[in-house]
Amino acid sequence: MLPAIEKIAERLKSHLYLWVALAVAIPRLAFMAAVPGRALYGNAPTMLAIADNLVSGNGYRDEYGNLDGYFSPMYPALLAAAKFTAGKHMLLVVKLVQVALDVVTAVALCSIMTEFFTTLGVLLFGAAFALHPLFIHYNNNIDQEPLLISMVVLSVVAVYCAVQRPSRLRFVVAGFAAGLATLTKGSPLLLPFLIAGVFWLFMRRRVAVCWTHWIVFLCAYLVTLVPWSYRNYLVFHRFSVGVGGFGSGLWWGSDPRIFTQFGEYRNAALAASIQEMSAKGITLPPNSDIFHREHYRFQMAVRKYQGLLGQPAELAKLMWMKFTRSLYASEDHASSHLPLILLQVPTVALAMVGLWRLTRRARTNAFGVLVIVVVCYFYLIVSATMPMVRYFIPALPLLLLAAVVGLSARFTAGVELPTKDAPPCC
């Protein structure tokens, strides 16, 4: 049966990226048509208000008229552009753009896979990405995830291309792409430093990249962040990329009463935690700004973990709960946890096999290491703060790619190319 499937796949080779694009776009467009008015909840009202204020000339302000310091600029700018060009049809335009972003994500990763896999292998990944329910779900939302996923993947592809054929220009492009990912959402903030460090310390003998290229990469990355950081300095008197969010996330993630509850129950848990910390002398200073509030919440998280250090069993239980919830837990939708577990467990198991296969071959070793760094980074960042799969999803396409590689172990001849040198993708 496999040879017949291979023949069908080879017939699609001449228009491979077109078929992948159609496979990704059709289910998303169908879901959008079936439920066109969904996903105006959570952070959507604030980001839409920022977009309205930008178009109206009122600046980067939230729905209350306050200068916003929580949301990074890329996604509200996308909303503002859609508002400016499409008016009352902006939501449709934004969701169509998000479909296009998912297509870009899939095609970018497939361009890497064509180096190592046959047409059948590339189509398997395209189908897996196209039908994964999390990507379809977030694509029909007003949130940063589709843009963030695309920017993280493009930055990874840019780094890989720069490593394969080193030049200063390619590393500048990679740094710029990583900067745009960080300006979409602050979670990738330290990722470029980790990538540069790992490749310089452990991959120097396997990739022909000198240290000056990594300096260029990091400089380009930091320069990309300067305008937004300077804006925050002018508005909030702090030269910072992310004004708010980390202290709150670390605090929420330090207490299972908070991150395992929803709605009114979570609010009650937050109030109880504040009261407990107040009894220990940690209180919010009067006339506090957003930085003071974040520092206050960071202090509460630190005190919580300090208390757990004397209870190793409780600390181990907390960390295990956070590590596991990072892969399946959702916000206010506990009913989706079991289906996500049933989906994520085999995906992770296959991905571990796939990453082992990628790293043990010379021709895929650099890409395998890059995937491991990105996946582990997001896993640890999310596990440290608010453990939910929503925040891990930027690395999920790479995990899915590794799972397809692991699945190919069952029928290697039909998926992997012969072990010969292949021309770099860039």
Side-chain angles (χ1 to χ4, degrees), residues 99-224:
V99 172
L101 288 170
D102 267 13
V103 169
V104 169
T105 300
V107 170
L109 288 176
C110 287
S111 71
I112 300 293
M113 291 190 72
T114 54
E115 291 189 44
F116 318 125
F117 292 90
T118 63
T119 306
L120 177 58
V122 176
L123 289 173
L124 278 174
F125 168 75
F129 181 79
L131 300 175
H132 197 289
L134 278 176
F135 298 119
I136 296 175
H137 169 77
Y138 285 117
N139 204 263
N140 198 27
N141 283 359
I142 299 300
D143 53 41
Q144 305 110 308
E145 271 65 35
L147 180 59
L148 179 62
I149 292 167
S150 187
M151 294 312 306
V152 168
V153 167
L154 288 176
S155 66
V156 169
V157 171
V159 168
Y160 177 71
C161 291
V163 167
Q164 290 293 93
R165 296 179 62 184
S167 75
R168 286 184 173 84
L169 178 59
R170 286 189 172 87
F171 277 95
V172 167
V173 171
F176 178 68
L180 293 182
T182 303
L183 291 177
T184 303
K185 203 168 186 178
S187 52
L189 180 63
L190 301 177
L191 180 59
F193 297 95
L194 181 61
I195 290 173
V198 168
F199 271 79
W200 174 242
L201 291 173
F202 303 110
M203 297 292 292
R204 283 181 292 176
R205 297 180 181 178
R206 301 188 182 186
V207 296
V209 179
C210 63
W211 65 270
T212 56
H213 285 104
W214 292 116
I215 296 297
V216 168
F217 167 66
L218 292 176
C219 287
Y221 171 65
L222 293 173
V223 166
T224 307

Side-chain angles (χ1 to χ4, degrees), residues 26 108 131 213 218 226 261 288-289 293-294 316 323 410-411:
I26 288 173
L131 300 175
H213 285 104
L218 292 176
V226 166
Q261 299 294 336
S288 59
D289 59 16
R293 289 195 296 273
E294 285 299 306
F323 284 145
R410 302 289 296 179
F411 40 92

Side-chain angles (χ1 to χ4, degrees), residues 260-262 325 328-340:
T260 60
Q261 299 294 336
F262 307 100
R325 287 180 63 88
Y328 73 85
S330 57
E331 190 172 30
D332 297 334
H333 291 88
S335 59
S336 68
H337 289 184
L338 180 58
L340 277 176

Side-chain angles (χ1 to χ4, degrees), residues 1 15 45 51 53 63 70 75 101 145 198 212 215 237 254 287 303 307 332 341 394 404 426:
M1 185 175 179
H15 299 91
N53 284 318
E63 63 267 48
Y70 183 80
Y75 192 72
L101 288 170
E145 271 65 35
V198 168
T212 56
I215 296 297
H237 311 295
S254 68
N287 302 319
R303 180 61 64 88
D332 297 334
I341 290 172
V404 171
C426 308

